[in-house]
Amino acid sequence: NGTFLKAFETALEHWLGVPYVSVMTNGTLPIMLALRSLGVESGEVITTPYTFVATSGVLEWMGLRPVFADVEEGYGTLSPSAAERLITQCTRAILPVHVHGYPCAVDDFAELSKRYDIPVIYDAAHAFGVKSGGHSILLHGDMATLSFHATKVFNSLEGGAVVCSSLEQKQRLDRMRNFGITGEVSVESEGLNAKMDEMRAAYGLLNLRNIDASIRQRKHLSKVYDGALQGVRGVRHPAIADGVEYNYAYYTLYIDAQEYGHTRDE
């Protein structure tokens, strides 16, 4: 909780347009602490099979049971209707992923959350800077988690964060990332070591100065690829949905093996 860490959190809140950010040492611990802070300690969590292994691995590690629902054709994000069909009395949360930075159907998941009284936590590891309707996609759900790993569009060498909507939530997460410690001789709750060090916080602050230029360059390169692939049958790049400001973190191709003549792996 040093000087650079505090400045990093404030800078992230300002750039992302979100109320509260709790920065942590990597992108996996934020999912664990977000679930635990919302009281999800047993039962089933509906999620997607189309994601990095950490999403479901975290659930298994915490003693939760991942229940896989199908994904939307075109973008690979979790299908709200498929998720709803798997809701049972054992369901404790829904963990959708903004795969490749493409936003999930957030309004549909909000409706599911309200109707079934189930929290929704978004794995937004790929979605740094993505907006929908002029607002950060990270504002949706009970919480959203980020990764600042070196492979991401924005990085602090290694790191991550939880985006939350209230000061109370942030203060709880801040305690949990530091063993539950609240003072020199007082420990208020359970916790673990998820703190980010000052060196990586300082690197993140410096790198934040470059993120706008980086996204502009990525957008330019995406258009170069679009032009080069025009007319290639069986190869499709998902279009950016109306109202979405994308971060161009990835250039995703879907291969129709029959039309293209080769499978993806080939």
Side-chain angles (χ1 to χ4, degrees), residues 108-148:
D108 292 337
F109 280 115
E111 196 276 330
L112 282 183
S113 176
K114 182 178 180 180
R115 185 168 4 129
Y116 291 96
D117 192 24
I118 299 172
V120 173
I121 301 102
Y122 284 102
D123 179 341
H126 295 171
F128 188 93
V130 175
K131 294 182 179 180
S132 180
H135 302 287
S136 173
I137 199 69
L138 305 173
L139 294 171
H140 294 276
D142 292 84
M143 293 183 184
T145 67
L146 289 165
S147 169
F148 304 148

Side-chain angles (χ1 to χ4, degrees), residues 174-194:
D174 288 353
R175 288 195 302 272
M176 292 175 72
R177 73 184 178 189
N178 186 33
F179 304 104
I181 294 171
T182 56
E184 288 295 322
V185 294
S186 53
V187 178
E188 186 172 305
S189 61
E190 79 286 351
L192 43 73
N193 186 359

Side-chain angles (χ1 to χ4, degrees), residues 32 36 40-45 56-66:
M32 297 173 65
R36 189 65 178 263
V40 182
E41 300 180 12
S42 63
E44 299 177 349
V45 176
S56 56
V58 159
L59 301 176
E60 291 279 3
W61 187 267
M62 295 178 67
L64 301 166
R65 179 171 177 259

Side-chain angles (χ1 to χ4, degrees), residues 2-238:
T3 302
F4 288 128
L5 187 282
K6 292 176 182 176
F8 187 33
E9 287 187 333
T10 299
L12 286 169
E13 289 164 356
H14 176 76
W15 193 89
L16 292 168
V18 298
Y20 299 103
V21 171
S22 181
V23 167
M24 299 179 189
T25 192
N26 60 47
T28 303
L29 288 165
I31 303 176
M32 297 173 65
L33 294 189
L35 287 163
R36 189 65 178 263
S37 72
L38 292 170
V40 182
E41 300 180 12
S42 63
E44 299 177 349
V45 176
I46 297 172
T47 191
T48 171
Y50 186 51
T51 179
F52 183 60
V53 67
T55 309
S56 56
V58 159
L59 301 176
E60 291 279 3
W61 187 267
M62 295 178 67
L64 301 166
R65 179 171 177 259
V67 176
F68 295 122
D70 206 351
V71 299
E72 301 277 15
E73 185 177 359
Y75 294 99
T77 51
L78 186 65
S79 164
S81 59
E84 183 176 14
R85 289 194 292 271
L86 296 175
I87 293 175
T88 70
Q89 291 183 342
C90 296
T91 304
R92 297 293 178 265
I94 302 176
L95 181 60
V97 180
H98 298 305
V99 176
H100 303 139
Y102 297 121
C104 296
V106 291
D107 291 338
D108 292 337
F109 280 115
E111 196 276 330
L112 282 183
S113 176
K114 182 178 180 180
R115 185 168 4 129
Y116 291 96
D117 192 24
I118 299 172
V120 173
I121 301 102
Y122 284 102
D123 179 341
H126 295 171
F128 188 93
V130 175
K131 294 182 179 180
S132 180
H135 302 287
S136 173
I137 199 69
L138 305 173
L139 294 171
H140 294 276
D142 292 84
M143 293 183 184
T145 67
L146 289 165
S147 169
F148 304 148
H149 185 266
T151 58
K152 301 302 187 289
V153 66
F154 169 80
N155 78 86
S156 57
L157 299 176
E158 178 69 283
V162 179
V163 175
C164 46
S165 58
S166 72
L167 179 59
E168 181 183 9
Q169 283 182 331
K170 174 176 166 50
Q171 289 173 337
R172 176 166 171 73
L173 288 162
D174 288 353
R175 288 195 302 272
M176 292 175 72
R177 73 184 178 189
N178 186 33
F179 304 104
I181 294 171
T182 56
E184 288 295 322
V185 294
S186 53
V187 178
E188 186 172 305
S189 61
E190 79 286 351
L192 43 73
N193 186 359
K195 303 185 301 294
M196 177 181 277
D197 58 83
E198 286 286 84
M199 186 64 74
R200 282 181 290 174
Y203 185 94
L205 274 168
L206 288 172
N207 211 17
L208 200 57
R209 299 177 183 179
N210 304 315
I211 185 64
D212 293 297
S214 176
I215 290 175
R216 284 195 299 271
Q217 175 69 359
R218 288 169 176 269
K219 183 176 182 178
H220 167 72
L221 292 173
S222 180
K223 292 183 181 300
V224 171
Y225 279 116
D226 284 345
L229 288 166
Q230 276 188 344
V232 180
R233 296 182 58 185
V235 177
R236 182 177 59 80
H237 172 60

Side-chain angles (χ1 to χ4, degrees), residues 241-262:
D242 290 341
V244 172
E245 295 178 45
Y246 188 49
N247 62 4
Y248 299 90
Y250 300 93
Y251 192 88
T252 309
L253 293 178
Y254 289 90
I255 310 297
D256 183 326
Q258 186 172 1
E259 189 175 3
Y260 183 63
H262 299 280

